[in-house]
Amino acid sequence: MALSKIDELALIARCLAMDDRRAFGRLVEATQEPLRRFLLNLTGGDASLTDDLAQEAYLKAWKGLRGFKATSRFRTWVTSIAMHEYFSWLRAEHPAADYDSLPDSALGAQDTASQIDAGHDVGVALASLAPLDRSLVLLRYIEDLPLGKIARMTGLTEGNVKIRLHRAKARMAQTLEQA
């Protein structure tokens, strides 16, 4: 159920003015499928972790709704929260890791052989990327977000996003050639 920007803002206003949890529920219903898809790809197919991260992201969105500036869509905002939740989880699970260079295989992602057996070559290529690079690829090519919005969500410059995407695509191509 896609919501227009006006419908979305009306629901947010009802949440804020009347503490309307049903209105927030409609926002969740409208955004949960793309958010779960994003998180499922980000976590390497870990459905349990995906559920936990999505729940935490929506909880933080509810609590922080007064801070929502409406310069972006609600879906973009909650996806940004979810991405930050994922990185917080990574830091808690692997405090000494370098998340810019660590591939997901070192963080407990699905076994690469089972992904290949299942025919998920793109999943294998995504899993070969560092978590930040994977999130950039997912935001750009799966969620179809513009570079400027990705830069704002991640805190990177637009130029840095472009460079990281270029390198991530090269890494994915290399991984696909080896598969």
Side-chain angles (χ1 to χ4, degrees), residues 54-163:
Q55 183 176 5
E56 191 62 32
Y58 283 120
L59 182 61
K60 286 194 174 185
W62 171 256
K63 289 179 178 178
L65 201 54
R66 293 206 182 280
F68 178 61
K69 302 215 182 336
T71 56
S72 65
R73 300 291 301 258
F74 179 80
R75 174 180 162 189
T76 303
W77 184 61
V78 79
T79 299
S80 178
I81 293 170
M83 183 178 62
H84 290 289
E85 283 302 305
Y86 173 70
F87 286 120
S88 293
W89 174 84
L90 278 178
R91 281 189 296 277
E93 289 294 309
H94 308 280
D98 173 12
Y99 300 108
D100 283 345
S101 62
L102 189 61
D104 240 18
S105 58
L107 298 174
Q110 279 185 317
D111 185 331
T112 303
S114 68
Q115 286 182 332
I116 292 171
D117 290 341
H120 291 92
D121 290 340
V122 174
V124 172
L126 279 170
S128 74
L129 299 176
L132 178 59
D133 293 338
R134 185 173 349 98
S135 67
L136 295 175
V137 168
L138 292 170
L139 291 169
R140 180 70 176 133
Y141 300 109
I142 303 299
E143 301 303 320
D144 200 29
L145 294 179
L147 294 172
K149 192 173 280 191
I150 295 170
R152 286 190 302 277
M153 288 175 72
T154 60
L156 300 171
T157 65
E158 198 169 321
N160 200 324
V161 170
K162 286 180 186 178
I163 290 167

Side-chain angles (χ1 to χ4, degrees), residues 6-19:
I6 300 292
D7 292 337
E8 199 173 90
L9 291 173
L11 288 170
I12 291 169
R14 284 179 40 201
C15 291
L16 294 173
M18 299 179 281
D19 196 34

